[in-house]
């Protein structure tokens, strides 16, 4: 047989598959459908990179597998061609974006086809084509006509580098997600989509999708639904009031001041009452120059100015509190005002300490011991107990008294029960003398009450303890003798502040130490100093206080969200024009649907200036009002490219429809997407927006499902060999074309999938790519062993276990372990003198999704006429899986570096060879002398290398 020549084989079969329409989804098929989708790429000038290869190889493997399992698979491809990446490239090269974008698409297409991806190219879409963005504009009008698109003047995120506004999601942490430059705030008239109308649906429906837990959590956090109350505080001596929203109304008796955003309209309304207007106005001017990030950064020092002469009334206490303005409060979030409770909020605490404001504790901690011998036992009865916790300071050293309890394994402060007739203070002093003998102790601070649930090991029962906590200083070392009974219980030790951190085992005593440092407790607990609400838990108090507010007409329960409406205007050229016309007489007028698409003009300078380039196009603005036929002007902003990608998954179902974005019939046939694959960087942006569009369509009756992507997976980033992100400026970019030319597409596909778990971040390794290449060459040579009289029984167990393993692993996207099991099967087949045709065909079918070109060639080489990719996926026979497998740990110089699964009975030499082929092992042994290899049967491979 001739040598394995990837160049001729791969080109040959790529052409054959395309001519045969191998991967075209069948609209008339009766097979069950599977819609497999990649997040479509930006066709940048840099071309395909290794991250793309990983993404498209993974979905290609999955799609090929599903076809062989009997599904009618739609696996389309298209281009997210509008937007900043393509436009910035065009600006850089001086080429019109329409020209450069389509040159890039041509390059991307050739590269993707060279990988052998099984995409349906008949469904190819391009978001920058009028045929596509006509329907993007239709979607804008759909939202507009249903009250979900509106224009308003607002503070917006402005990127001076990109010369455009950005949505909040594109300016996270105060930097542009495209160019990474700082984002500033501007007041501009902009278009918004009312995504906030769907905030509850966007949170609630996350429970119905099979997505990574981290992605679901990120979406929940971004939407940021919180349940609380909003209430009004009257301003002393005026008819004005301050509305505040809080999720912690249970802390309201601890409110000692109020903070308004500097831009709050009430600041101007109260100007006649403010006695330090010059100071206030100066602070406001400084705040205007700060970005939202600078104002809300957690680590920054909190600043503010008191509004002298202004006080607000706490409706619960009826007492006045001072009013401040502070830049860490934002006017566009909540009510633009916060009630400040410094004893129970870290931000408020820092502010209060800086400005010497009162700190009033109104929540007593409730702690539940969850670890150790004192772990609270939920299924056992609970005994109430009342005692004290006492922190004792040494009279001359910076040390504190700790008690070590040998039988229980505890480390605590001094503690003891409150006897009848004794106050907590009297108990604290009595316990100090009885348990330590010290005579001269002074209570310096009452730290409040700590409530704790724990298991009392010596008494063998659960306790719910209520402990007033005191900080005590010893005046000297005078000490009486302590009884033997006390010393037998515990040992007294003097500890530094740092040693206490690890010494204290009880959560209640750890909390006491925190209270010593600062009177700050931010969790729920039991109310104190809160009038008739004393003794209630935080949960009980929140409910009762909300009822009281509603009864008094001062407030009500309210749900708040972090999510803001989606800003979609862009002051750039390369995007879909917004289909709105402005008429002096008729105002805002929607472009009639029959006049769509509103074409992007060509007679403009597309280089950004900060204004929309479309303003200066004569052909674009030569328009009359659709209502009155008088001269009018078009909206000059274009749409955020994320609008284009918010509905593209529908278009793939019906890409050539000129009458609607997609017919109901094709939507019902193909949607929702069964498997969606793409980078985790789109967790908040694209995924949130696509879900919003889907929910709008469901509500308006266009579709019958709630979520666009039933299953979602993220591929990890492929780093450069130096462990850094690949970048031209760093000179560490690997071009897939070079790898394909030298080793072949099948080798590249295998290598990327074998580097590690798909979702992990992995570094590229050029030296280990020879391993997958050698593996394919070994499969190629196995053809020589195929014989009519090959013995199937000798390899049946290995074969059927591999059938099960590869199928299971592909289902869960565990491609690296699937490849590993195929390598083990090939090892077993190499040991046989002859291989039956049936066995070899099964191997080729299992390998086909991973190495489509080589397997197709060998499939035909042994006499088949139809494609291996049309073959039926084999069914494993559990009764034949009689041989066991074992996991071998692999050490390099005594340190565990990897593991692998091998068939029981695999020879020592084979275990050594397999182990040395693993990428995680090669990086520790390459270029070093292998001094010794030791195999402990079925357990361990130890490799010793020289330094």
């Amino acid at each position: 047989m001739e040598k394995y020549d990837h160049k001729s084989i791969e080109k040959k079969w790529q052409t054959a598959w395309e001519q045969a329409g191998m991967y075209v989804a069948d609209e008339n098929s009766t097979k069950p459908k599977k819609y497999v989708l990649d997040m479509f790429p930006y066709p940048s000038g840099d071309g395909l990179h290794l991250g793309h290869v990983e993404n498209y190889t993974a979905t290609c493997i999955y799609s090929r597998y599903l076809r062989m399992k009997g599904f009618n698979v739609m696996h389309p491809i298209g281009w997210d061609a509008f937007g900043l990446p393509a436009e910035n490239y065009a600006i850089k090269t001086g080429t019109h974006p329409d020209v450069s974008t389509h040159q890039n698409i041509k390059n991307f297409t050739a590269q993707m086809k060279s990988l052998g991806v099984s995409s349906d190219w008949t469904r190819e879409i391009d978001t920058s084509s009028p045929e596509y963005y006509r329907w993007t504009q239709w979607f804008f009008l759909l939202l507009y006509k249903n009250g979900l698109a509106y224009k308003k003047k607002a503070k917006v995120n402005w990127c001076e580098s990109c010369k455009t506004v950005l949505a909040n999601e594109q300016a996270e942490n105060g930097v542009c997600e495209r160019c990474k430059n700082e984002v500033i705030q501007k007041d501009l008239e902009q278009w918004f989509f009312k995504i906030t109308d769907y905030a509850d649906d966007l949170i609630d429906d996350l429970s119905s999708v099979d997505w990574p837990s981290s992605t679901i959590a990120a979406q929940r956090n971004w939407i940021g639904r919180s349940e609380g109350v909003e209430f009004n505080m009257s301003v002393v001596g005026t008819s004005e009031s301050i509305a505040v929203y809080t999720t912690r109304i249970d802390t309201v008796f601890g409110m000692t001041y109020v903070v308004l955003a500097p831009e709050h309209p009430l600041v101007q309304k109260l100007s006649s009452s403010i006695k330090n207007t010059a100071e206030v106005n100066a602070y406001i001017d400084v705040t205007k120059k700060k970005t939202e990030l600078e104002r809300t950064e957690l680590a920054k020092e909190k600043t503010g100015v008191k509004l002298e002469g202004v006080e607000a009334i706490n409706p619960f206490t009826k007492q006045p509190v001072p009013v401040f303005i502070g830049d860490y409060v934002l006017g566009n979030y909540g009510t633009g005002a916060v009630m400040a409770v410094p004893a129970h909020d870290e931000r408020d605490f820092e502010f209060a300490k800086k400005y010497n404001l009162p700190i009033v504790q109104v929540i007593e901690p409730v702690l539940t011991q969850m670890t150790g011998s004192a772990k609270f036992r939920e299924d056992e009865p609970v005994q109430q107990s009342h005692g004290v916790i006492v922190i004792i300071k040494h009279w001359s050293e910076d040390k504190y008294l700790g008690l070590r309890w040998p039988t229980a394994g505890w480390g605590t402060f001094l503690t003891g029960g409150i006897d009848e007739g004794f106050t907590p203070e009297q108990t604290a002093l009595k316990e100090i003398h009885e348990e330590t003998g010290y005579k001269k102790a002074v209570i310096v601070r009452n730290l409040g009450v700590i409530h704790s649930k724990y298991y009392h090991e010596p008494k063998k029962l659960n306790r719910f303890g209520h402990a007033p906590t005191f900080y005590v200083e010893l005046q000297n070392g005078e000490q009486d003798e302590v009884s033997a009974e006390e010393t037998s219980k515990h040992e007294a030790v003097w500890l530094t502040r740092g040693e206490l951190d690890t010494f204290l085992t009880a959560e209640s005593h750890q909390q006491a130490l925190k209270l010593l440092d600062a009177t700050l407790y931010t969790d729920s607990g039991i109310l104190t100093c809160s009038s008739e609400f004393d003794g209630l838990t935080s949960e009980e108090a929140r409910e009762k206080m909300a009822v009281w507010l509603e009864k008094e007409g001062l407030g009500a329960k309210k749900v708040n969200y972090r999510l803001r409406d989606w800003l979609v205007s862009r002051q750039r050229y390369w995007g879909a024009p917004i289909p709105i016309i402005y008429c002096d007489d008729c105002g805002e007028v929607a472009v009639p649907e029959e006049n769509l698409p509103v074409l992007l003009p060509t007679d403009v300078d597309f280089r950004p200036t900060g204004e929309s380039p479309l303003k200066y196009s004569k052909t674009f603005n030569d328009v009359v009002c659709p209502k009155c036929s008088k001269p009018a002007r078009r909206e000059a902003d274009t749409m955020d490219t994320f609008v284009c990608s918010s509905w593209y998954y529908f278009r793939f179902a019906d890409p050539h429809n000129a009458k609607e974005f997609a017919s109901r019939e094709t939507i019902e046939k193909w949607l929702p997407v069964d498997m969606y694959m793409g980078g985790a960087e789109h967790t908040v942006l694209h995924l949130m927006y696509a879900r919003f569009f889907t929910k709008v369509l469901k509500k308006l009756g266009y579709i019958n499902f709630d979520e666009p992507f039933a299953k979602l997976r993220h591929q990890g980033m492929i780093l450069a060999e130096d462990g850094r992100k690949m970048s031209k400026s760093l000179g560490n970019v690997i071009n897939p074309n070079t790898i394909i030319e030298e080793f072949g597409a099948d080798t590249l596909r295998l290598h990327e999938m074998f580097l590690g778990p798909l979702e992990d971040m992995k570094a590229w390794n050029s030296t280990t790519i020879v391993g997958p290449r050698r593996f394919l060459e070994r499969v190629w040579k196995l053809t020589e062993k195929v014989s009519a009289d090959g013995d199937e029984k000798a390899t049946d167990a290995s074969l059927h276990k591999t059938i099960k393993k590869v199928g299971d692993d592909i289902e869960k996207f565990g491609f690296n372990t699937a490849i590993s099991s195929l390598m083990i099967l090939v090892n077993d087949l190499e040991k046989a003198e002859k291989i039956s045709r049936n066995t070899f065909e099964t191997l080729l079918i299992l390998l086909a999704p991973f190495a489509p070109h080589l397997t197709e060639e060998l499939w035909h080489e042994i006499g088949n006429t139809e494609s291996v990719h049309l073959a039926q996926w084999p069914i494993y026979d559990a009764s034949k899986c009689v041989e066991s497998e074992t996991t071998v740990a692999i050490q390099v110089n005594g340190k565990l570096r990897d593991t692998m699964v091998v068939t029981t009975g695999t020879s020592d030499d084979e275990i050594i060879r397999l182990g040395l082929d693993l990428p995680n092992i090669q990086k520790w042994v390459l270029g070093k002398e292998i001094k010794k290899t030791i195999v402990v049967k079925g357990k361990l491979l130890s490799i010793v290398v020289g330094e």
Side-chain angles (χ1 to χ4, degrees):
M1 187 175 179
E2 293 181 2
K3 185 180 178 182
Y4 170 38
D5 177 12
H6 64 268
K7 292 182 180 179
S8 60
I9 292 171
E10 291 176 355
K11 195 167 186 180
K12 164 187 170 182
W13 289 114
Q14 288 162 12
T15 302
W17 296 331
E18 188 165 0
Q19 290 176 348
M22 180 78 73
Y23 308 117
V24 175
D26 186 354
E27 291 289 353
N28 301 311
S29 174
T30 58
K31 295 179 181 179
K33 71 93 179 178
K34 285 288 183 181
Y35 184 177
V36 182
L37 183 62
D38 304 283
M39 293 184 185
F40 61 171
Y42 299 108
S44 71
D46 294 332
L48 209 64
H49 57 68
L50 292 178
H52 288 124
V53 173
E54 182 183 30
N55 190 143
Y56 302 132
T57 298
T59 51
C60 176
I61 291 169
Y62 187 64
S63 297
R64 290 180 183 278
Y65 165 76
L66 290 175
R67 292 189 188 96
M68 298 166 89
K69 290 281 285 184
F71 290 96
N72 181 25
V73 178
M74 180 170 75
H75 182 207
I77 188 66
W79 314 103
D80 196 5
F82 267 147
L84 289 175
E87 188 172 354
N88 286 342
Y89 178 79
I91 293 167
K92 179 180 176 181
T93 60
T95 310
H96 194 282
D98 187 49
V99 174
S100 60
T101 295
H102 290 92
Q103 287 174 344
N104 297 338
I105 287 175
K106 185 176 180 181
N107 181 42
F108 262 67
T109 300
Q111 288 183 297
M112 292 182 70
K113 289 184 176 180
S114 73
L115 277 172
V117 295
S118 56
S119 298
D120 182 351
W121 290 92
T122 67
R123 295 175 183 268
E124 181 180 5
I125 61 175
D126 168 2
T127 61
S128 69
S129 70
E131 293 78 17
Y132 183 89
Y133 69 72
R134 167 189 179 181
W135 299 108
T136 301
Q137 293 170 340
W138 179 88
F139 270 104
F140 182 97
L141 294 177
L142 180 72
L143 295 171
Y144 182 75
K145 292 171 184 176
N146 285 279
L148 295 171
Y150 65 94
K151 193 173 189 181
K152 72 170 184 178
K153 188 171 186 178
K155 279 192 177 294
V156 297
N157 304 304
W158 177 264
C159 177
E160 186 60 30
S161 174
C162 295
K163 301 292 185 184
T164 191
V165 298
L166 303 170
N168 288 336
E169 293 82 358
Q170 292 165 302
E172 200 170 356
N173 297 320
V175 294
C176 174
E177 63 103 18
R178 292 293 182 212
C179 71
K180 308 305 179 187
N181 283 308
E182 183 186 33
V183 171
I184 62 173
Q185 303 295 297
K186 267 193 175 185
D187 285 316
L188 291 174
E189 288 270 349
Q190 301 290 288
W191 283 97
F192 293 83
F193 287 164
K194 291 191 72 174
I195 191 172
T196 52
D197 278 14
Y198 291 81
D200 285 326
D201 292 337
L202 289 168
I203 281 187
D204 295 342
D205 290 345
L206 286 168
S207 60
S208 69
V209 295
D210 178 5
W211 287 17
S213 58
S214 58
T215 303
I216 290 174
Q219 291 238 331
R220 289 188 190 279
N221 292 338
W222 189 263
I223 298 167
R225 179 168 63 190
S226 64
E227 297 180 5
V229 296
E230 186 175 308
F231 66 93
N232 291 312
M233 302 177 63
S234 60
V235 179
V236 177
T238 75
S239 60
E240 303 291 345
S241 63
I242 299 172
V244 296
Y245 170 82
T246 180
T247 60
R248 293 297 308 273
I249 189 64
D250 54 310
T251 67
V252 70
F253 281 85
M255 173 175 38
T256 58
Y257 61 100
V258 177
V259 186
L260 304 179
E263 60 272 23
H264 197 295
L266 200 56
V267 178
Q268 297 306 317
K269 287 184 179 180
L270 296 173
S271 59
S272 60
S273 302
I274 298 172
K275 297 178 180 178
N276 56 333
T277 53
E279 183 184 11
V280 170
N281 290 336
Y283 185 82
I284 292 173
D285 289 340
V286 170
T287 300
K288 287 178 180 178
K289 299 174 184 177
K290 294 182 180 180
T291 65
E292 192 166 305
L293 174 66
E294 289 173 325
R295 290 177 60 179
T296 58
E297 186 182 3
L298 290 176
K300 90 176 190 74
E301 183 183 7
K302 305 300 180 288
T303 66
V305 173
K306 184 179 179 182
L307 303 183
E308 299 288 354
V310 177
E311 291 181 315
I313 299 295
N314 182 334
F316 286 88
T317 66
K318 304 297 189 294
Q319 296 300 310
V321 293
V323 179
F324 286 74
I325 57 171
D327 62 3
Y328 66 91
V329 181
L330 301 176
N332 62 356
Y333 188 78
T335 64
V338 297
M339 70 172 209
V341 184
H344 304 293
D345 181 275
E346 188 171 350
R347 180 186 58 182
D348 298 341
F349 179 81
E350 291 175 12
F351 193 92
K353 293 289 281 186
K354 179 174 180 178
Y355 293 102
N356 197 29
L357 296 165
I359 298 173
V360 178
Q361 182 182 355
V362 294
I363 303 293
E364 296 171 345
V366 176
L367 306 165
T368 302
Q369 185 74 27
M370 299 302 293
T371 59
S373 62
K375 180 179 179 181
F376 187 74
R377 303 184 182 185
E378 296 286 351
D379 54 346
E380 296 187 15
V382 180
Q383 179 190 71
Q384 301 286 328
S385 69
H386 297 270
V388 294
I389 296 173
V390 187
I391 303 174
I392 303 172
K393 176 74 162 45
H394 195 277
W395 59 93
S396 62
E397 297 181 43
D398 191 17
K399 290 186 177 181
Y400 302 84
L401 187 71
L403 299 182
R404 183 179 286 119
W405 302 70
T407 57
W410 294 350
T412 70
F413 290 120
L414 186 144
T415 182
I418 301 175
D419 295 330
E420 187 174 350
F422 282 79
T423 66
E425 289 81 0
Q426 290 170 335
T427 300
L429 296 174
K430 179 174 73 73
E431 290 291 334
I432 292 171
H433 187 255
E434 289 180 356
E435 296 197 27
T436 71
Y438 289 110
K439 300 165 64 176
K440 299 291 185 179
V442 176
I443 296 175
V444 177
R445 279 170 57 197
N446 182 337
L447 302 179
V449 180
I450 297 175
H451 307 267
S452 59
K453 297 178 180 180
Y454 63 98
Y455 185 76
H456 195 294
E457 179 63 31
K459 297 186 182 296
K460 305 299 181 187
L461 51 79
N462 273 331
R463 274 189 170 174
F464 188 6
H466 313 281
T469 303
F470 301 98
Y471 169 59
V472 171
E473 292 182 352
L474 296 178
Q475 301 302 294
N476 56 44
E478 289 184 36
Q479 188 177 20
D480 289 333
E481 186 176 348
V482 180
S483 71
E485 180 186 358
E486 292 294 343
T487 56
S488 66
K489 294 179 185 177
H490 47 66
E491 174 193 4
V493 290
W494 287 104
L495 303 163
T496 64
R497 175 63 182 77
E499 290 170 335
L500 284 171
D501 290 335
T502 54
F503 175 79
L504 297 170
T505 58
E507 291 193 11
S508 55
H509 289 245
Q510 293 168 1
Q511 178 62 37
L513 187 61
K514 292 178 183 177
L515 293 178
L516 178 63
D517 291 337
T519 311
L520 177 66
Y521 177 71
T522 59
D523 292 332
S524 296
I526 292 177
L527 271 69
T528 184
C529 303
S530 298
S531 190
E532 69 266 33
F533 302 101
D534 276 1
L536 296 177
T537 66
S538 289
E539 291 75 17
E540 294 167 340
R542 287 170 199 154
E543 189 64 33
K544 289 182 180 294
M545 287 176 167
V547 170
W548 184 86
L549 281 169
E550 290 192 44
K551 182 181 176 182
E552 296 294 320
L554 296 171
K557 287 184 177 180
K558 187 174 181 180
V559 177
N560 223 356
Y561 302 90
R562 177 176 184 258
L563 182 69
R564 294 291 174 262
D565 281 341
W566 175 13
L567 193 161
V568 298
S569 300
R570 296 295 177 266
Q571 292 68 45
R572 297 292 291 251
Y573 167 71
W574 193 236
I578 293 174
I580 294 292
I581 291 172
Y582 298 102
C583 173
D584 289 340
D585 292 339
C586 304
E588 240 172 49
V589 182
V591 172
E593 288 182 21
E594 61 269 21
N595 292 346
L596 299 180
V598 176
L599 293 173
L600 191 64
T602 57
D603 60 339
V604 293
D605 182 350
F606 56 80
R607 287 171 296 189
T609 62
E611 290 187 293
S612 299
L614 302 190
K615 288 176 65 174
Y616 304 102
S617 167
K618 293 182 180 179
T619 57
F620 184 76
N621 285 298
D622 187 13
V623 62
V624 296
C625 174
K627 285 186 176 180
C628 67
S629 299
K630 292 182 179 179
R633 63 179 178 85
R634 292 192 186 277
E635 170 61 67
D637 286 352
T638 54
M639 278 185 258
D640 179 7
T641 185
F642 280 102
V643 180
C644 301
S645 60
S646 292
W647 70 276
Y648 79 110
Y649 45 95
F650 288 107
R651 190 62 175 175
F652 277 132
D654 199 3
H656 308 298
N657 193 329
K659 295 181 179 179
E660 51 193 334
F661 71 93
S663 71
R664 182 177 289 272
E665 180 185 5
T666 58
I667 290 174
E668 291 179 353
K669 179 179 181 62
W670 291 112
L671 275 293
V673 175
D674 297 286
M675 169 59 76
Y676 197 32
M677 183 80 183
E681 65 272 16
H682 294 298
T683 291
V684 171
L685 295 154
H686 161 63
L687 291 174
M688 188 80 76
Y689 299 152
R691 295 179 64 224
F692 165 58
F693 265 54
T694 301
K695 294 185 185 309
V696 171
L697 290 175
K698 168 71 183 301
K699 185 175 182 180
L700 297 179
Y702 287 88
I703 60 175
N704 59 6
F705 55 91
D706 295 296
E707 288 291 327
F709 315 119
K711 191 172 184 176
L712 170 74
R713 294 295 181 267
H714 299 305
Q715 80 280 6
M717 183 180 291
I718 300 292
L719 302 173
E721 290 188 88
D722 57 14
R724 295 183 292 177
K725 187 175 179 179
M726 290 192 188
S727 167
K728 278 185 174 181
S729 62
L730 297 173
N732 60 3
V733 174
I734 305 293
N735 190 331
N737 292 8
T738 305
I739 306 297
I740 293 172
E741 176 70 21
E742 183 176 356
F743 294 100
D746 285 347
T747 299
L748 176 58
R749 290 163 62 104
L750 275 177
H751 186 53
E752 288 226 9
M753 295 297 101
F754 195 50
L755 282 172
L758 183 71
E759 65 276 11
D760 286 2
M761 189 178 292
K762 302 166 285 286
W764 176 261
N765 193 333
S766 296
T767 56
T768 58
I769 197 170
V770 296
R773 173 67 189 200
R774 280 200 304 261
F775 169 69
L776 293 178
E777 289 172 349
R778 288 162 56 205
V779 174
W780 182 267
K781 290 179 182 177
L782 278 179
T783 313
E784 299 169 358
K785 292 192 174 190
V786 177
S787 172
D789 58 349
D791 183 7
E792 291 190 8
K793 292 183 180 180
T795 55
D796 254 5
S798 179
L799 182 67
H800 282 269
K801 282 187 294 185
T802 307
I803 294 171
K804 182 180 187 304
K805 176 68 172 168
V806 172
D808 290 348
D809 284 350
I810 290 177
E811 292 278 2
K812 61 186 181 184
F813 278 46
F815 303 123
N816 59 322
T817 50
I819 294 169
S820 180
S821 64
L822 286 166
M823 290 178 171
I824 292 170
L825 175 60
V826 169
N827 293 336
D828 292 343
L829 295 180
E830 285 178 325
K831 297 171 189 174
E833 288 187 18
K834 297 178 181 179
I835 307 170
S836 73
R837 174 168 171 164
N838 179 61
T839 298
F840 189 62
E841 285 184 341
T842 302
L843 167 65
L844 293 179
I845 292 171
L846 296 177
L847 182 58
F850 301 88
H853 309 89
L854 174 135
T855 51
E856 186 77 286
E857 179 71 13
L858 295 181
W859 183 259
H860 285 78
E861 181 69 26
I862 59 176
N864 292 295
T865 54
E866 281 201 333
S867 171
V868 67
H869 303 294
L870 299 177
Q872 183 178 348
W873 190 261
I875 300 172
Y876 82 96
D877 185 342
S879 68
K880 293 182 178 180
C881 301
V882 292
E883 287 187 13
S884 61
E885 292 179 336
T886 185
T887 300
V888 176
I890 306 169
Q891 294 181 347
V892 180
N893 288 352
K895 292 186 178 180
L896 181 66
R897 297 302 185 187
D898 208 343
T899 60
M900 65 179 178
V901 178
V902 299
T903 302
T904 300
T906 301
S907 69
D908 290 357
D909 289 344
E910 194 60 30
I911 287 174
I912 293 168
R913 192 177 70 77
L914 286 170
L916 290 173
D917 268 351
L918 292 173
N920 282 346
I921 299 304
Q922 286 202 359
K923 68 182 182 181
W924 295 103
V925 303
L926 278 172
K928 298 178 181 179
E929 178 189 0
I930 299 177
K931 293 186 173 183
K932 189 187 298 183
T933 54
I934 303 168
V935 177
V936 178
K937 285 290 185 185
K939 294 182 178 180
L940 175 69
L941 166 60
S942 177
I943 304 166
V944 180
V945 299
E947 294 300 327

